[in-house]
Amino acid sequence: MKTTRFCLVRHGETHWNAARRLQGHTDIDLNDRGKIQAQQMAQALKAIDLKFDVLYTSDLIRAAKTAHAIEHLFGVNAIADAALRERHLGSLQGLTIEDAQRLKPDLWQIHMQRDLEHELFGGESIKQFANRIHGALEKIRYLHEGQTILLVSHGGALDMMYRLASKQPLEAEKAVSVPNASLNWISHNGSSWKVEQWADTNHLNNLALDNLDL
């Protein structure tokens, strides 16, 4: 059976990441640090002479611009896919973590308790989000069986991919960090998923922020 490998990249830092503000589907650009992180990440992939067959990215600008650093250095074109977006956080989008706890304490508690069915008033439930991400990942795996896929997405989305590969339950608390511009490897051998390496930030000059989706 052919092994399909994914190198998963979280987008570089944004001003909202730095402010601990929940982004979700809000289309926020990279900040200056995030642009440097994207370049460092792409250069690290070039330094190890990574051979990949295709590049995918979320269509949100923070992911697309991170992918652009790879496009520029490797001379490839990314395939943008809206199914790789972050979870839509409904009424929590745009709030800082502190404001969410103060202004919407009941909803924040639901979010923190990982209610699998609640859509956060206009957003996606955890189950809906998981189904979207898992469906996107399986579609890409089917299209590129036996190949190496480079994929740029978001902290919450990568956490869902980790859960799929490690068989971590959706209701369980987050088990791993997903730093900005980190490199994360999972694979599928034709019958099951496996986590190979996670949260590699050795290529970054400074500490990268973890995702806020908790």
Side-chain angles (χ1 to χ4, degrees):
M1 290 185 288
K2 298 179 180 178
T3 296
T4 307
R5 300 186 74 212
F6 285 79
C7 181
L8 309 174
V9 181
R10 186 187 173 204
H11 63 79
E13 185 179 295
T14 72
H15 288 302
W16 279 27
N17 288 150
R20 293 171 58 81
R21 192 175 297 278
L22 298 164
Q23 293 176 123
H25 280 199
T26 313
D27 209 7
I28 305 301
D29 203 347
L30 298 178
N31 61 19
D32 289 342
R33 185 178 181 184
K35 293 173 185 175
I36 292 171
Q37 289 174 336
Q39 292 170 1
Q40 290 173 344
M41 174 273 301
Q43 289 165 357
L45 295 176
K46 194 72 170 178
I48 64 171
D49 194 25
L50 178 69
K51 299 293 192 297
F52 61 93
D53 298 283
V54 64
L55 172 63
Y56 279 85
T57 182
S58 157
D59 65 336
L60 294 177
I61 192 169
R62 57 191 184 272
K65 282 200 173 180
T66 302
H68 181 67
I70 300 169
E71 291 178 299
H72 177 73
L73 204 58
F74 284 85
V76 298
N77 293 318
I79 300 171
D81 189 344
L84 297 173
R85 288 185 178 189
E86 184 59 281
R87 180 186 177 191
H88 194 304
L89 295 171
S91 294
L92 293 178
Q93 285 188 176
L95 298 177
T96 65
I97 288 179
E98 292 74 18
D99 285 345
Q101 294 175 67
R102 180 172 55 86
L103 298 174
K104 298 181 183 291
D106 293 341
L107 187 59
W108 180 252
Q109 192 64 24
I110 288 169
H111 180 54
M112 291 301 294
Q113 289 175 348
R114 298 192 63 81
D115 184 317
L116 300 185
E117 305 290 347
H118 203 288
E119 298 179 8
L120 304 178
F121 302 120
E124 290 177 288
S125 70
I126 291 175
K127 277 189 176 180
Q128 289 169 338
F129 179 43
N131 288 338
R132 170 165 63 81
I133 294 299
H134 293 180
L137 200 61
E138 289 289 355
K139 177 183 176 181
I140 293 170
R141 182 178 72 83
Y142 176 78
L143 289 173
H144 304 283
E145 184 181 5
Q147 298 183 335
T148 297
I149 299 106
L150 193 50
L151 188 154
V152 183
S153 190
H154 306 266
L158 266 61
D159 178 68
M160 283 296 164
M161 296 176 195
Y162 175 88
R163 289 172 187 270
L164 173 65
S166 68
K167 299 181 174 59
Q168 184 192 11
L170 292 179
E171 62 270 19
E173 292 185 10
K174 190 177 69 169
V176 292
S177 63
V178 190
N180 286 117
S182 59
L183 301 176
N184 311 272
W185 289 88
I186 63 174
S187 62
H188 194 283
N189 64 8
S191 60
S192 63
W193 288 98
K194 174 185 176 182
V195 177
E196 295 187 355
Q197 185 179 8
W198 201 261
D200 179 8
T201 56
N202 290 327
H203 51 284
L204 301 179
N205 290 338
N206 297 300
L207 182 67
L209 298 174
D210 190 11
N211 61 306
L212 298 178
D213 291 338
L214 305 173

